[in-house]
Amino acid sequence: MRPLNIKFTAFGPYPKTQTIDFTELQNSNMFVISGPTGSGKTTIFDAISFALYGSASGSDRTLDMFRSDFAPVETMTQVEFEFAVKNQKYKITRCPAGERPKLRGVGMRKIDASVKLEFGDQVITAQIEVANKIEEVLGLTKEQFKQIVLLPQGEFKKLLMSDSRSKEVIFRKIFDTGHIQKIQEQLRTDSSELKRKIEDSELQINTILDAYPNIANTAQLSRLHKNTKVNVGEIEEHLQTLNLKLQTNLELIAKAQQHTKDQAELQEIQLKLDAYQKNQAIYNKYNYFIEHLPVISNYQRIHVDLSRATDKLNQTIFQQEQLQQTQDQTIGELTKLRDAHTEITAQYEQVSDLQEQLDDYQTHLKLITDHVEMQTSIDNYQALISKLTTQIDELELQKTTITTKLEQIEILEQQFEQNNLAISSAKDELAHLTKQQQIQIQIEQLNNEIINNSQELQTLNSAHHLESATLSEYRAAYIATQSGLLAAKLEPGKPCSVCGSLEHPNPATINTSDITDTDIAKQEQIVDKLNNKINQMMAKLEVDKALTNQLTEEHQITDLDYQELIDKQTTNLKELEAINLKLSTQLDKQSLQNKLTEIAAVIVTNNQDLVKYQYAADDLRAKLTLSSEQLAAKPKIETEIDKLQQGIKQTISTYEQSAKNLQACENQALINTKELGFLMLNIQSEQQSIQAMNDSLVDIEKSIDTYSLAELTEMLSNQAYIKAEYNNYLTDTVLLTGRQTTLEQIISEYQPIDVDLLNQTITKLNDRIDATTQIHEQFVADRYRQKTDLDTLKAIENKVGKLIDTYQLIADISDVANGKTTSKISFERYMLAIYFKQIISRANIYFKAMTNNRFELEYKSPHRGRGAQGLDLNIVDNYTTKVRDVKSLSGGETFKAALAMALGLSDIVQMNSGGIQIDTIFIDEGFGSLDIDSLNSAIDTLISIESEGRIVGIISHVEELKNQVSNKIEVTTGPEGSSLAVHFN
């Protein structure tokens, strides 16, 4: 990524738009940013980070700090950044969320954050899409960008000083080894899950077998299941015999019950047939109605239509009479309107004479109005002339005041510079005292630790003496016991098994001690452990004493009260800074000079306007021609104009309304005539239709003779019911007669049955069946449960065997991948260590150059058995050949080591990620901690990077650095905010 241009508005302390064009860097790609503390130097890097990732460059600055407190509320905060990656140009514009004045009314309205990324012919505005595209183009996340491109204040040394666990998090994102971590986690999860499944399966097996007394394994449960199956077969055969006997008796009972039902049904059929015979006349009438239903329906429809036609005819006749009355009134009104229109037409013909009078009055009124407007303009010009004269006098007074202030600022600037030198000296002294205090505290801690360790060493020596004495006692007692046992086995004339002698003048007696060789071995372990602790403690004391002497000699530590000295120096520094802060608010020389230039320009402009307004007023005075009498006639003329305009308007309006009314009345009379003719035709047609319907009714009445038409017509509303009743009558008569004959034959053939005896037999059979069924159900349930449990056990045992094989393999792999071995190094950290060693190797090229080959970084090999290792650093001092922890470096050495690590990381990232091109590095920390030689070597290192084509940006207060770098961005600050001046050669 190579920056091309950045433009930001109302951002941080900058209220106005600031622009940096990086393409103007021609002779050198290195530039330095300088300015007072708090003026907004880091804000430039914040703007780049915000444009790309929507966040600040450092972790101690948040989004709500971006809005400039100096900018007007209507000015929008915005950053526009152009950069190039692999010959492709990109432009990103980003605005944070905030508030703006409402477009209507008072108050503020909320504005959402926005972003726009432009490249080629594409434009992306969605937040997530832009974020993904930026990471894709740069090949860096926000965290990676701050580690290898934008090295922010306060976070510069994180990579150098962080422990292995923190470095692992940083490198995981940079080298994309998160998938390895996921594999490790998945292996650990799979191993735990397999172990849990095995334990669950074993628990399931025990749970199933616990339900069967005296059953200990699957084979025994299988034999029990076979015996249960035989018992179920025997019970089922017995149940089948009982059910056959029950079915025979139930069938006999059913015959007796059916005979009783047949007798009842026969009686019911006879009653229904008698009822149908009794209502025969009604069914005959229903039959006649159904046969003549079309004629009856037509008769009713004609009656309804006739009633409706008669009502319609009467309504049409009424409408015709009403319309005739309306027509008579319309003709009378038409005559009156024609007479009135004739009179109005005569008045309308005089309008042209009135219009000529109106034009004359209006011409005269315009002359008067123009005269009055010119007089008003003259008065306005005269007021402006007076105001400008006053302003010019005030501005001249301001010029004198500002000139005096500028002379005073010259004196204050000298005092400000002297205070700056004193502040710098005080800071250096404060840093030195703080370092000395830290070393003094470290020495005190080491001395305390030496005292404590010496006491512990004495305790360990005492314990070692006691335990060694105990060991000697154990060994003597054990030997005595063994000698007694051997002596007890000696026989006269036979050789001793130890010395071979045939004589035994003084054999040992048997010792009753119960000391064994195991007790001696345990006591030897106790003594060995104490020996090891004593050796370790002695070694630690030697190291602590050597380190105490080294620190005391190297830093010349005395018994001074460093805290008192630090407090005094801090108070002095705060006083100096307070004075300079107050002075800085009074040193806005550039602002006063700008104000002076601005006032001079305003004076020139005001003098030009003064001449222009005087000339315009004189020109208008020459054009005033009317007398006071002519001007006084204006109200009378305006009154006459109003009267003429109203008269003309009223006459025209009256004439147009009269013509409109006359035309409307003539149209209405014509419409009424047409409607009257149409109504007469309708009356004739409706009368003919009524006559035809009356003739049809007479014909229908002649065709019906058995029943009255009125009675038959009333039945129409129930015709569905009548049809259904008549059809039921016909169907039931046939069916009932046939069923009657069948039942009479069945009843005549029936043989009597003893139902009570049969019921007693059935009751006994049901009791036996119920008892047998319960036994059967129990055996079937037992058999099903045994079968299910057997299948489950076999499946579980089969699964457990496979799980155990898989678990043993996965668990071994998981332990190795997750560092559960003696090395305690996970696979991911092992892979990251390879990258880490590459970074160290690359960083040493820069680090050795910046320290004249005195220091180099060394990979710290992990100790066996300790966790969270594998990414730690040591420092090798080639002058003393000693190796020490990286945290022991001084402030300047730490800066150089951190810078070397950052540069090495940048190189390795590019080597291992072919898609990432890092053409820029920005540094915001540390140069103030370097002496002149170290500063020169650091600058030489950065120049070597610059010579490779990379842009190097540095924030620094160091004068030597500013003098050696020709390209500068100077930040100035004042009461109205900060601004920057770019000086690129």
PDB file of all heavy atoms in Angstrom, residues 642-659:
ATOM      1  N   ASP A 642     -58.291  52.214  -8.612  1.00  0.00           N
ATOM      2  CA  ASP A 642     -59.044  51.124  -7.959  1.00  0.00           C
ATOM      3  C   ASP A 642     -60.498  51.126  -8.412  1.00  0.00           C
ATOM      4  O   ASP A 642     -61.073  50.056  -8.694  1.00  0.00           O
ATOM      5  CB  ASP A 642     -58.975  51.281  -6.437  1.00  0.00           C
ATOM      6  CG  ASP A 642     -57.592  50.976  -5.906  1.00  0.00           C
ATOM      7  OD1 ASP A 642     -56.828  50.294  -6.627  1.00  0.00           O
ATOM      8  OD2 ASP A 642     -57.265  51.383  -4.776  1.00  0.00           O
ATOM      9  N   LYS A 643     -61.119  52.332  -8.491  1.00  0.00           N
ATOM     10  CA  LYS A 643     -62.529  52.402  -8.913  1.00  0.00           C
ATOM     11  C   LYS A 643     -62.706  51.900 -10.330  1.00  0.00           C
ATOM     12  O   LYS A 643     -63.627  51.121 -10.636  1.00  0.00           O
ATOM     13  CB  LYS A 643     -63.016  53.858  -8.818  1.00  0.00           C
ATOM     14  CG  LYS A 643     -63.204  54.348  -7.392  1.00  0.00           C
ATOM     15  CD  LYS A 643     -63.717  55.795  -7.396  1.00  0.00           C
ATOM     16  CE  LYS A 643     -63.908  56.321  -5.976  1.00  0.00           C
ATOM     17  NZ  LYS A 643     -64.375  57.732  -5.984  1.00  0.00           N
ATOM     18  N   LEU A 644     -61.811  52.346 -11.260  1.00  0.00           N
ATOM     19  CA  LEU A 644     -61.930  51.922 -12.658  1.00  0.00           C
ATOM     20  C   LEU A 644     -61.710  50.404 -12.793  1.00  0.00           C
ATOM     21  O   LEU A 644     -62.454  49.726 -13.523  1.00  0.00           O
ATOM     22  CB  LEU A 644     -60.908  52.679 -13.511  1.00  0.00           C
ATOM     23  CG  LEU A 644     -61.221  54.150 -13.773  1.00  0.00           C
ATOM     24  CD1 LEU A 644     -60.054  54.853 -14.446  1.00  0.00           C
ATOM     25  CD2 LEU A 644     -62.480  54.294 -14.652  1.00  0.00           C
ATOM     26  N   GLN A 645     -60.719  49.873 -12.086  1.00  0.00           N
ATOM     27  CA  GLN A 645     -60.445  48.431 -12.179  1.00  0.00           C
ATOM     28  C   GLN A 645     -61.616  47.614 -11.669  1.00  0.00           C
ATOM     29  O   GLN A 645     -62.020  46.616 -12.290  1.00  0.00           O
ATOM     30  CB  GLN A 645     -59.173  48.091 -11.385  1.00  0.00           C
ATOM     31  CG  GLN A 645     -57.895  48.553 -12.048  1.00  0.00           C
ATOM     32  CD  GLN A 645     -56.677  48.287 -11.208  1.00  0.00           C
ATOM     33  OE1 GLN A 645     -56.785  48.169  -9.986  1.00  0.00           O
ATOM     34  NE2 GLN A 645     -55.512  48.242 -11.852  1.00  0.00           N
ATOM     35  N   GLN A 646     -62.238  48.056 -10.564  1.00  0.00           N
ATOM     36  CA  GLN A 646     -63.372  47.313 -10.003  1.00  0.00           C
ATOM     37  C   GLN A 646     -64.582  47.402 -10.922  1.00  0.00           C
ATOM     38  O   GLN A 646     -65.315  46.414 -11.121  1.00  0.00           O
ATOM     39  CB  GLN A 646     -63.717  47.863  -8.613  1.00  0.00           C
ATOM     40  CG  GLN A 646     -62.660  47.565  -7.562  1.00  0.00           C
ATOM     41  CD  GLN A 646     -62.985  48.194  -6.230  1.00  0.00           C
ATOM     42  OE1 GLN A 646     -64.051  48.809  -6.074  1.00  0.00           O
ATOM     43  NE2 GLN A 646     -62.048  48.072  -5.277  1.00  0.00           N
ATOM     44  N   GLY A 647     -64.822  48.613 -11.515  1.00  0.00           N
ATOM     45  CA  GLY A 647     -65.967  48.769 -12.423  1.00  0.00           C
ATOM     46  C   GLY A 647     -65.830  47.891 -13.648  1.00  0.00           C
ATOM     47  O   GLY A 647     -66.793  47.230 -14.061  1.00  0.00           O
ATOM     48  N   ILE A 648     -64.644  47.897 -14.266  1.00  0.00           N
ATOM     49  CA  ILE A 648     -64.413  47.080 -15.467  1.00  0.00           C
ATOM     50  C   ILE A 648     -64.570  45.591 -15.135  1.00  0.00           C
ATOM     51  O   ILE A 648     -65.217  44.837 -15.864  1.00  0.00           O
ATOM     52  CB  ILE A 648     -63.016  47.374 -16.033  1.00  0.00           C
ATOM     53  CG1 ILE A 648     -62.944  48.796 -16.586  1.00  0.00           C
ATOM     54  CG2 ILE A 648     -62.641  46.359 -17.117  1.00  0.00           C
ATOM     55  CD1 ILE A 648     -61.549  49.251 -16.952  1.00  0.00           C
ATOM     56  N   LYS A 649     -64.001  45.220 -14.006  1.00  0.00           N
ATOM     57  CA  LYS A 649     -64.061  43.795 -13.608  1.00  0.00           C
ATOM     58  C   LYS A 649     -65.495  43.359 -13.343  1.00  0.00           C
ATOM     59  O   LYS A 649     -65.920  42.277 -13.769  1.00  0.00           O
ATOM     60  CB  LYS A 649     -63.205  43.589 -12.356  1.00  0.00           C
ATOM     61  CG  LYS A 649     -63.141  42.149 -11.885  1.00  0.00           C
ATOM     62  CD  LYS A 649     -62.235  42.035 -10.681  1.00  0.00           C
ATOM     63  CE  LYS A 649     -62.172  40.592 -10.202  1.00  0.00           C
ATOM     64  NZ  LYS A 649     -61.312  40.461  -8.988  1.00  0.00           N
ATOM     65  N   GLN A 650     -66.280  44.240 -12.666  1.00  0.00           N
ATOM     66  CA  GLN A 650     -67.676  43.894 -12.347  1.00  0.00           C
ATOM     67  C   GLN A 650     -68.517  43.789 -13.599  1.00  0.00           C
ATOM     68  O   GLN A 650     -69.359  42.884 -13.742  1.00  0.00           O
ATOM     69  CB  GLN A 650     -68.244  44.969 -11.405  1.00  0.00           C
ATOM     70  CG  GLN A 650     -69.668  44.682 -10.959  1.00  0.00           C
ATOM     71  CD  GLN A 650     -69.757  43.420 -10.119  1.00  0.00           C
ATOM     72  OE1 GLN A 650     -68.834  43.134  -9.368  1.00  0.00           O
ATOM     73  NE2 GLN A 650     -70.830  42.664 -10.262  1.00  0.00           N
ATOM     74  N   THR A 651     -68.310  44.701 -14.552  1.00  0.00           N
ATOM     75  CA  THR A 651     -69.107  44.694 -15.798  1.00  0.00           C
ATOM     76  C   THR A 651     -68.831  43.426 -16.599  1.00  0.00           C
ATOM     77  O   THR A 651     -69.758  42.758 -17.085  1.00  0.00           O
ATOM     78  CB  THR A 651     -68.774  45.929 -16.643  1.00  0.00           C
ATOM     79  OG1 THR A 651     -69.074  47.109 -15.882  1.00  0.00           O
ATOM     80  CG2 THR A 651     -69.604  45.948 -17.932  1.00  0.00           C
ATOM     81  N   ILE A 652     -67.561  43.084 -16.759  1.00  0.00           N
ATOM     82  CA  ILE A 652     -67.195  41.889 -17.524  1.00  0.00           C
ATOM     83  C   ILE A 652     -67.725  40.635 -16.841  1.00  0.00           C
ATOM     84  O   ILE A 652     -68.267  39.732 -17.491  1.00  0.00           O
ATOM     85  CB  ILE A 652     -65.663  41.813 -17.677  1.00  0.00           C
ATOM     86  CG1 ILE A 652     -65.163  42.964 -18.546  1.00  0.00           C
ATOM     87  CG2 ILE A 652     -65.250  40.475 -18.291  1.00  0.00           C
ATOM     88  CD1 ILE A 652     -63.654  43.060 -18.604  1.00  0.00           C
ATOM     89  N   SER A 653     -67.610  40.580 -15.513  1.00  0.00           N
ATOM     90  CA  SER A 653     -68.076  39.396 -14.776  1.00  0.00           C
ATOM     91  C   SER A 653     -69.579  39.226 -14.906  1.00  0.00           C
ATOM     92  O   SER A 653     -70.081  38.112 -15.117  1.00  0.00           O
ATOM     93  CB  SER A 653     -67.679  39.541 -13.311  1.00  0.00           C
ATOM     94  OG  SER A 653     -68.211  38.480 -12.549  1.00  0.00           O
ATOM     95  N   THR A 654     -70.342  40.350 -14.819  1.00  0.00           N
ATOM     96  CA  THR A 654     -71.817  40.295 -14.927  1.00  0.00           C
ATOM     97  C   THR A 654     -72.236  39.822 -16.318  1.00  0.00           C
ATOM     98  O   THR A 654     -73.156  38.989 -16.461  1.00  0.00           O
ATOM     99  CB  THR A 654     -72.420  41.674 -14.636  1.00  0.00           C
ATOM    100  OG1 THR A 654     -72.002  42.110 -13.334  1.00  0.00           O
ATOM    101  CG2 THR A 654     -73.943  41.625 -14.695  1.00  0.00           C
ATOM    102  N   TYR A 655     -71.554  40.358 -17.358  1.00  0.00           N
ATOM    103  CA  TYR A 655     -71.889  39.969 -18.734  1.00  0.00           C
ATOM    104  C   TYR A 655     -71.618  38.469 -18.956  1.00  0.00           C
ATOM    105  O   TYR A 655     -72.466  37.762 -19.515  1.00  0.00           O
ATOM    106  CB  TYR A 655     -71.053  40.812 -19.690  1.00  0.00           C
ATOM    107  CG  TYR A 655     -71.215  40.385 -21.152  1.00  0.00           C
ATOM    108  CD1 TYR A 655     -72.354  40.766 -21.898  1.00  0.00           C
ATOM    109  CD2 TYR A 655     -70.246  39.609 -21.769  1.00  0.00           C
ATOM    110  CE1 TYR A 655     -72.498  40.362 -23.216  1.00  0.00           C
ATOM    111  CE2 TYR A 655     -70.397  39.205 -23.081  1.00  0.00           C
ATOM    112  CZ  TYR A 655     -71.527  39.579 -23.819  1.00  0.00           C
ATOM    113  OH  TYR A 655     -71.677  39.169 -25.121  1.00  0.00           O
ATOM    114  N   GLU A 656     -70.466  37.983 -18.505  1.00  0.00           N
ATOM    115  CA  GLU A 656     -70.114  36.565 -18.719  1.00  0.00           C
ATOM    116  C   GLU A 656     -71.057  35.644 -17.950  1.00  0.00           C
ATOM    117  O   GLU A 656     -71.476  34.609 -18.466  1.00  0.00           O
ATOM    118  CB  GLU A 656     -68.662  36.319 -18.267  1.00  0.00           C
ATOM    119  CG  GLU A 656     -67.642  36.999 -19.165  1.00  0.00           C
ATOM    120  CD  GLU A 656     -66.230  36.832 -18.644  1.00  0.00           C
ATOM    121  OE1 GLU A 656     -66.101  36.395 -17.484  1.00  0.00           O
ATOM    122  OE2 GLU A 656     -65.267  37.151 -19.381  1.00  0.00           O
ATOM    123  N   GLN A 657     -71.464  36.041 -16.738  1.00  0.00           N
ATOM    124  CA  GLN A 657     -72.368  35.202 -15.949  1.00  0.00           C
ATOM    125  C   GLN A 657     -73.756  35.156 -16.583  1.00  0.00           C
ATOM    126  O   GLN A 657     -74.425  34.115 -16.602  1.00  0.00           O
ATOM    127  CB  GLN A 657     -72.452  35.749 -14.513  1.00  0.00           C
ATOM    128  CG  GLN A 657     -73.265  34.875 -13.575  1.00  0.00           C
ATOM    129  CD  GLN A 657     -72.642  33.499 -13.415  1.00  0.00           C
ATOM    130  OE1 GLN A 657     -71.427  33.384 -13.298  1.00  0.00           O
ATOM    131  NE2 GLN A 657     -73.456  32.462 -13.448  1.00  0.00           N
ATOM    132  N   SER A 658     -74.226  36.323 -17.132  1.00  0.00           N
ATOM    133  CA  SER A 658     -75.545  36.368 -17.792  1.00  0.00           C
ATOM    134  C   SER A 658     -75.577  35.450 -19.003  1.00  0.00           C
ATOM    135  O   SER A 658     -76.533  34.689 -19.204  1.00  0.00           O
ATOM    136  CB  SER A 658     -75.858  37.808 -18.208  1.00  0.00           C
ATOM    137  OG  SER A 658     -77.084  37.865 -18.946  1.00  0.00           O
ATOM    138  N   ALA A 659     -74.521  35.495 -19.813  1.00  0.00           N
ATOM    139  CA  ALA A 659     -74.467  34.633 -21.001  1.00  0.00           C
ATOM    140  C   ALA A 659     -74.426  33.163 -20.595  1.00  0.00           C
ATOM    141  O   ALA A 659     -75.075  32.306 -21.229  1.00  0.00           O
ATOM    142  CB  ALA A 659     -73.234  34.994 -21.838  1.00  0.00           C
TER     143      ALA A 659
END
